[in-house]
Amino acid sequence: LKDYLMKGLVAKIQIVNKTFCRVHLRPEVQGAQGGEAPKTLTIQLGSPETFEAKLEQAQQDLGIPSVEQIPIQYVEESDFLSDLLPQLPGLLFLVVL
């Protein structure tokens, strides 16, 4: 991640469900990497707070001014089927009636 930050390739960073981080790369650099570069990177997190502190420190070490540092966006995502599955027996009972 530090290499991508150093080259200015990171567009935004999302922490999803406090379990993993999605790093979105800038669209204009997708082809500049020489071939097919990934559009997003996924990083498994131990602790979001630790990741955020390390990211902030890395950006400071690189000399990135605080107004230009990449902000972290916290996102909660859920799977529709996982939400529906516990309700399935009740829905089937209503359909039978």
Side-chain angles (χ1 to χ4, degrees), residues 33-78:
Q33 292 283 79
E36 195 64 33
K39 294 181 173 129
T40 60
L41 306 172
T42 304
I43 301 170
Q44 194 70 34
L45 297 178
S47 163
E49 295 81 15
T50 303
F51 174 78
E52 191 169 352
K54 286 182 180 181
L55 178 65
E56 186 176 328
Q57 185 62 47
Q59 291 184 90
Q60 287 175 355
D61 291 347
L62 291 170
I64 300 172
S66 59
V67 294
E68 294 179 15
Q69 290 185 1
I70 307 297
I72 296 177
Q73 178 185 21
Y74 285 84
V75 179
E76 292 292 325
E77 294 180 356
S78 63

Side-chain angles (χ1 to χ4, degrees), residues 4 18-19 26 32 34 37 51 54 59 63 66 83 94 97:
Y4 288 101
K18 297 183 180 180
T19 57
R26 295 187 181 280
F51 174 78
K54 286 182 180 181
Q59 291 184 90
S66 59
D83 292 341
L94 289 175
L97 292 177

